[in-house]
Amino acid sequence: MTLQITVAAPFRHTRKTGLRRNELVYYYALDRKWMSTDQAAVLLRRAEEAGLLRQENGIFSILFDPAAVTVPIGFRPSSTIFEANDPAQELISRIAKASGQPETDIVAEMNKIIRDQFGGNLLPPAALVFLAKKYRIPYEDLREALISAVKK
């Protein structure tokens, strides 16, 4: 959520639907002093990967309604916005929460599926999809990220 608030802030403040890279970097690094210029570039890349921004002809457009996001007074983004989210870990957490089991048990069950049913020839993200289906946990929003994790 912090990433979404951080991305929405300059669009809400300027009341524009599209901003150039240098305008966004200026807003984050110099105007608000939330981060360095290098960190602002990383933020823009992460926002594109997360599907929050799109760059077209040098203009960044926001892909959600910035008016739907409230930027709290005194808001300052934490360093977590620079950390990449691991889709496999997210799915493990969802399965553990829904099934009431600790995450270590879910990982052990995933490893058992990989070892016993596939002879070690299955990657962990695919095994997690089997577990998600078994426990009827929605994973569709993580599908693309899981697929790209498998391709790496």
Side-chain angles (χ1 to χ4, degrees):
M1 190 66 181
T2 302
L3 180 62
Q4 190 174 25
I5 294 170
T6 305
V7 169
F11 292 94
R12 284 184 54 99
H13 184 252
T14 61
R15 293 189 173 117
K16 292 183 178 178
T17 57
L19 294 168
R20 293 188 315 265
R21 174 181 291 277
N22 63 342
E23 292 174 309
L24 290 166
V25 170
Y26 176 84
Y27 181 88
Y28 293 129
L30 302 173
D31 186 37
R32 298 297 167 173
K33 295 182 170 87
W34 284 348
M35 60 194 73
S36 70
T37 55
D38 292 336
Q39 288 174 321
V42 170
L43 170 70
L44 295 177
R45 188 170 48 253
R46 287 247 316 115
E48 280 186 284
E49 291 170 358
L52 300 174
L53 286 178
R54 177 183 62 225
Q55 182 181 11
E56 201 170 285
N57 299 324
I59 303 292
F60 283 89
S61 302
I62 193 163
L63 297 177
F64 60 95
D65 182 13
V69 177
T70 303
V71 181
I73 295 174
F75 172 78
R76 185 171 184 87
S78 66
S79 62
T80 59
I81 61 171
F82 302 112
E83 298 171 5
N85 296 335
D86 181 13
Q89 184 60 46
E90 171 68 25
L91 192 52
I92 289 170
S93 297
R94 287 183 191 181
I95 295 168
K97 185 177 179 181
S99 67
Q101 299 178 47
E103 288 185 9
T104 53
D105 289 354
I106 301 302
V107 172
E109 190 173 354
M110 173 191 74
N111 289 332
K112 187 175 188 230
I113 290 172
I114 292 170
R115 183 183 61 248
D116 296 347
Q117 296 178 11
F118 292 90
N121 295 319
L122 185 69
L123 294 172
L128 286 171
V129 170
F130 282 118
L131 284 175
K133 287 183 176 187
K134 175 183 175 184
Y135 291 106
R136 293 188 171 99
I137 308 300
Y139 65 92
E140 288 76 19
D141 60 320
L142 297 173
R143 182 179 298 154
E144 291 303 316
L146 289 166
I147 290 169
S148 65
V150 168
K151 290 180 180 179
K152 286 183 181 177

